[in-house]
């Protein structure tokens, strides 16, 4: 089977949200051929590519970060057709109407397929004027109606980047048999722009489309547009146009995809609210390498009973400020308790705020006049001398804490469960679904509740051990690479078993894999009739 794997800002590069699970999926299915189609977000990202197995036949990359221009000019007829399609697209964005958005999107895709690209047209004055007319039209939101020229120019520039997959040469089958139009299944590793090439391959070639989301792209865009991702906050009109575009694109993808695999019930609810039907949904939890955590998880040592552990990226969404205030309550009740914070990465500004708060709340303590003072809160880096691996970081204490206010699928929580640790978590994202009764859950932004839950486990070591054992058993059942790969193998076969919807009436597997191998095999000697025996041969 030939799988076209679509990614944005992730695999086959070393960084990105989808990189680890995509790599595990590809390596777990060596019996299939994978073709990788990657949209990259930066030049630095493209310099760090992970080693690929032999059954990855080729990789094609298109940058979303660099300006693009094909340098071609358009005829009057082409400009008129482009304007008509673009007007429908932006009318759907500004009014929230799905029909004109879809008509405009596929109209632009068809024009790009015929003409070879729309880079210049999408940045033209005609595009700006069409967007301005859509913003001023009846039915547009009040925020969009007041968009200024600077807002229109900024959004048109971003729209060209988001619609860049329309102008790529990924679809038509080339002389080597490569192209999304020739694969058996398109598998998008995320929703949004990453799934757009698969949407076009389905539209023009009938290739089945599978979309996997472990973190809902639409939700991530909403949070980033609200300024939650840091950086300069966008102007209201631009923010509204971005959000409207991503909503319309997500709804179109969810409506057209043959199958959707959310990574948790939280993501599944988002997809259902945006139009996905339940008969095309199946929850597939991300696969994790359980062997990495086996040593700690199976060890008789359950970690220091007086140490709390936190592991993750130090950023505002993780709400370490609330955790530090909760730890102040814990220290008043249990003075000997320590908190070890292991950072996988960090927002420098937020890390500085946390360090400052920790220094204020917990002055260095010393046992006597000659002992060096030590702070009960330690900020450490994974890979340091005391925690060379993630598993050993979790093994440093008996209780692992998650204090987030925003969370999709909490990977750190699943890792702690594989390490056999009792957990105390805030009730956000898919936390309750992951925990499943094997840990304590408290409301977010509530330091007092977080402190009380931690104290209850610190004062009952036997209960903490029972919860840790139950957590490891649950994680081994649900969150391993094996269950993830098996699920996708079944879904691939299910998509092919439904029958082909290709416009040419082609049948999957009708052409053998060796059909793509050049050489004399096309007229092999064994396929020719045997020559008549000669008199000399008879003798």
């Amino acid at each position: 089977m030939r799988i076209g794997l679509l990614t944005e800002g992730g695999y086959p590069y070393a960084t990105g949200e989808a990189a680890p699970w995509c790599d595990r999926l590809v390596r777990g299915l060596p019996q299939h051929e994978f073709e990788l189609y990657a949209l990259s977000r930066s030049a630095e990202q493209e310099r760090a590519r992970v080693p690929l197995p032999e059954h990855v036949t080729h990789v094609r990359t298109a940058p979303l970060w660099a300006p693009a221009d094909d340098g071609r000019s358009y005829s009057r007829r082409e400009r008129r057709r482009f304007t008509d399609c673009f007007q429908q697209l932006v009318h759907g964005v500004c009014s929230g109407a799905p029909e004109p958005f879809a008509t405009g999107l596929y109209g632009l895709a068809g024009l790009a397929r015929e003409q070879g690209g729309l880079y210049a047209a999408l940045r033209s004055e005609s595009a700006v004027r069409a967007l301005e007319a859509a913003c001023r039209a009846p039915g547009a939101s009040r925020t969009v109606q007041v968009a200024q020229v600077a807002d229109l120019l900024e959004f048109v520039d971003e729209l060209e980047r988001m619609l860049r997959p329309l102008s790529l040469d990924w679809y038509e089958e080339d002389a080597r048999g490569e192209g999304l139009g020739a694969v058996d299944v398109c598998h998008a590793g995320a929703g949004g722009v990453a799934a757009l090439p698969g949407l076009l391959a389905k539209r023009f070639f009938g290739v089945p489309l599978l979309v996997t989301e472990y973190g809902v792209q639409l939700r991530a865009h909403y949070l980033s547009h609200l300024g939650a991702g840091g950086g300069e906050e966008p102007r209201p009109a631009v923010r509204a146009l971005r959000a409207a575009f991503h909503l319309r694109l997500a709804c179109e993808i969810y409506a057209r995809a043959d199958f959707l695999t959310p990574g948790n019930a939280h993501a599944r609810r988002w997809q259902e609210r945006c139009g996905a039907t339940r008969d095309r949904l199946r929850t597939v939890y991300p696969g994790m390498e359980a062997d990495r955590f086996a040593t700690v998880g199976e060890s008789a040592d359950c970690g220091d009973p007086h140490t709390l552990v936190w592991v993750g990226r130090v950023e505002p969404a993780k709400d370490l400020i609330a955790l530090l205030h909760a730890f102040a309550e814990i220290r008043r009740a249990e003075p000997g308790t320590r908190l070890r914070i292991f950072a996988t990465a960090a927002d420098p500004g937020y890390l500085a705020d946390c360090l400052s708060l920790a220094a204020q709340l917990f002055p260095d303590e010393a046992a006597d006049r000659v002992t060096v003072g030590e702070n009960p809160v330690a900020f450490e880096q994974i890979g340091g001398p005391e925690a060379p691996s993630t598993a050993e970081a979790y093994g440093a204490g008996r209780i692992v804490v998650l204090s987030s206010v925003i969370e999709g699928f909490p990977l750190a929580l699943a890792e702690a469960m594989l390490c056999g640790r009792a957990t105390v978590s805030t009730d956000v994202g898919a936390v309750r679904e992951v925990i499943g009764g094997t840990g304590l859950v408290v409301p977010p932004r509530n330091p007092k509740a977080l402190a009380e839950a931690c104290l209850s486990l610190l004062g009952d070591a036997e209960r903490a051990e029972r919860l840790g054992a139950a957590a490891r058993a649950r994680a081994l059942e649900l969150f391993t690479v094996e269950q993830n790969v098996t699920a996708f193998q079944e879904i691939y076969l299910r998509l092919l078993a439904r029958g082909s919807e290709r416009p040419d009436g082609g049948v999957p597997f009708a052409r053998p894999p060796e059909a793509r191998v050049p050489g004399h095999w096309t007229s092999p000697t064994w396929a020719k009739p045997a020559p008549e025996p000669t008199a000399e041969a008879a003798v």
Side-chain angles (χ1 to χ4, degrees), residues 407-426:
E407 197 73 62
F409 185 93
L411 288 174
L413 204 55
E415 291 175 347
M417 294 169 67
L418 285 170
C419 290
R421 292 306 183 253
T423 58
V424 177
S425 314
T426 48

Side-chain angles (χ1 to χ4, degrees), residues 89 109 173-174 224 310 314 343 389 392 402 424 441 460-461 472 520:
L89 177 81
E173 185 176 2
D174 59 21
S224 63
W310 184 97
V314 178
S389 69
E392 288 172 314
L402 183 142
V424 177
V441 180
D460 192 342
R472 176 166 170 78
H520 65 277

Side-chain angles (χ1 to χ4, degrees), residues 172-258:
E172 303 288 347
E173 185 176 2
D174 59 21
R176 296 176 296 176
E178 299 174 354
L180 284 173
V183 301
D184 297 311
V185 173
C186 276
H187 186 176
V193 177
L196 188 51
L199 199 62
L200 301 184
K202 177 176 174 60
R203 174 78 175 186
F204 294 121
F205 301 98
V207 179
L209 173 60
L210 167 65
V211 179
T212 297
E213 284 190 305
Y214 288 121
V216 182
Q217 289 297 102
L218 178 61
R219 174 179 174 272
H221 285 302
Y222 282 165
L223 293 173
S224 63
H225 297 163
L226 290 171
E232 184 180 353
E233 186 174 349
R235 292 185 295 274
V238 177
R239 186 171 64 218
L241 288 168
R242 289 175 182 170
F245 171 81
H246 287 297
L247 173 61
R248 292 271 56 86
L249 180 60
C251 290
E252 181 64 18
I253 291 170
Y254 296 157
R256 303 298 176 190
D258 294 88

Side-chain angles (χ1 to χ4, degrees), residues 148-311:
Q148 302 299 311
V149 174
D151 301 325
L152 300 175
L153 291 173
E154 181 177 347
F155 181 67
V156 164
D157 182 72
E158 293 188 12
L159 195 58
E160 185 277 319
R161 297 176 189 272
M162 292 185 287
L163 294 179
R164 193 166 292 181
L166 274 61
S167 301
L168 300 177
D169 59 350
W170 287 358
Y171 308 101
E172 303 288 347
E173 185 176 2
D174 59 21
R176 296 176 296 176
E178 299 174 354
L180 284 173
V183 301
D184 297 311
V185 173
C186 276
H187 186 176
V193 177
L196 188 51
L199 199 62
L200 301 184
K202 177 176 174 60
R203 174 78 175 186
F204 294 121
F205 301 98
V207 179
L209 173 60
L210 167 65
V211 179
T212 297
E213 284 190 305
Y214 288 121
V216 182
Q217 289 297 102
L218 178 61
R219 174 179 174 272
H221 285 302
Y222 282 165
L223 293 173
S224 63
H225 297 163
L226 290 171
E232 184 180 353
E233 186 174 349
R235 292 185 295 274
V238 177
R239 186 171 64 218
L241 288 168
R242 289 175 182 170
F245 171 81
H246 287 297
L247 173 61
R248 292 271 56 86
L249 180 60
C251 290
E252 181 64 18
I253 291 170
Y254 296 157
R256 303 298 176 190
D258 294 88
F259 213 75
L260 295 143
T261 52
N264 51 74
H266 180 252
R268 182 175 183 138
R269 287 193 295 271
W270 272 81
Q271 294 175 346
E272 288 181 347
R273 289 170 184 171
C274 291
T277 56
R278 294 191 175 185
D279 62 311
R280 293 181 294 116
L281 286 166
R282 176 180 172 183
T283 301
V284 178
Y285 296 115
M288 307 182 69
E289 296 174 326
D291 292 346
R292 292 172 51 206
F293 308 100
T295 302
V296 174
E298 295 175 1
S299 172
D301 180 11
C302 295
D304 185 352
H306 304 294
T307 297
L308 303 177
V309 171
W310 184 97
V311 178

Side-chain angles (χ1 to χ4, degrees), residues 1-3 31-35 37 55-58 173-179 182-184 509-519 521-522:
M1 189 186 308
R2 296 174 64 187
I3 311 298
Q31 67 271 35
H32 300 310
E33 292 183 6
F34 282 86
E35 301 175 9
Y37 297 84
H55 58 283
V56 175
T57 57
H58 74 277
E173 185 176 2
D174 59 21
R176 296 176 296 176
E178 299 174 354
V183 301
D184 297 311
F509 307 119
R511 186 174 63 168
E514 59 268 21
R516 297 189 299 279
V517 180
W521 72 270
T522 52

Side-chain angles (χ1 to χ4, degrees), residues 314-330:
V314 178
E315 59 184 359
K318 303 303 183 182
D319 201 11
L320 285 175
I321 300 297
L323 175 59
L324 291 172
H325 283 290
F327 187 62
E329 295 279 342
I330 295 170

Side-chain angles (χ1 to χ4, degrees), residues 329-331 333-334 337 450-460:
E329 295 279 342
I330 295 170
R331 286 280 296 180
E334 294 287 345
T337 309
L450 191 63
E452 289 177 353
C454 291
L455 286 170
S456 69
L457 293 182
L458 287 169
D460 192 342

